[in-house]
Amino acid sequence: QVQLVESGGGLVQAGGSLRLSCAASGRTVSIYAMGWFRQAPGKEREFVGRIRWSGDSTIYADSVKGRFTISRDNAKNTVYLQMNSQKPEDTAVYYCETKKCYLVDYDSWGQGTQVTVSL
């Protein structure tokens, strides 16, 4: 089992930046990829992006491409979500999640961290 703890959320003005962290512990050898998702009030959970646990392959949702960057520190078992040029529509609870291989769903997630972008 993998345990995930997100941190770094907060309040930022539009155009500003925040960096979220997701620290993984437990059976990290089983991780194939870590993804970031977000959910705004009254809206469906939305995929933000993901990074492979080995290698540097990343993919992003169109809504964040060019503004958000996912990176990984293997020594710390931590993945980061750097969010730049933030917009009010980025306001949501952000979750990191992991999956064991390409074909399965994400099956471990953290408690989430709130990001609020004000005008």
Side-chain angles (χ1 to χ4, degrees), residues 39-45 91:
Q39 188 163 23
K43 293 190 176 181
E44 302 245 332
R45 173 173 163 267
T91 295

Side-chain angles (χ1 to χ4, degrees), residues 2-6 22-25 34 96-98 108-111:
V2 175
Q3 292 79 46
L4 302 169
V5 178
E6 301 98 335
C22 178
S25 61
M34 181 179 287
C96 59
E97 305 186 13
T98 60
S108 295
W109 52 89
Q111 82 286 353

Side-chain angles (χ1 to χ4, degrees), residues 12-81:
V12 64
Q13 286 190 325
S17 299
L18 275 177
R19 188 178 78 159
L20 306 184
S21 300
C22 178
S25 61
R27 194 169 165 74
T28 58
V29 294
S30 69
I31 299 174
Y32 165 80
M34 181 179 287
W36 285 97
F37 293 78
R38 65 187 183 185
Q39 188 163 23
K43 293 190 176 181
E44 302 245 332
R45 173 173 163 267
E46 178 189 13
F47 173 77
V48 174
R50 74 102 174 101
I51 187 167
R52 287 278 303 273
W53 197 246
S54 60
D56 294 325
S57 171
T58 53
I59 56 174
Y60 298 95
D62 287 344
S63 58
V64 306
K65 203 172 290 184
R67 300 188 298 121
F68 290 12
T69 303
I70 299 175
S71 61
R72 187 189 66 246
D73 184 332
N74 285 340
K76 296 181 179 180
N77 282 337
T78 299
V79 169
Y80 303 98
L81 177 65

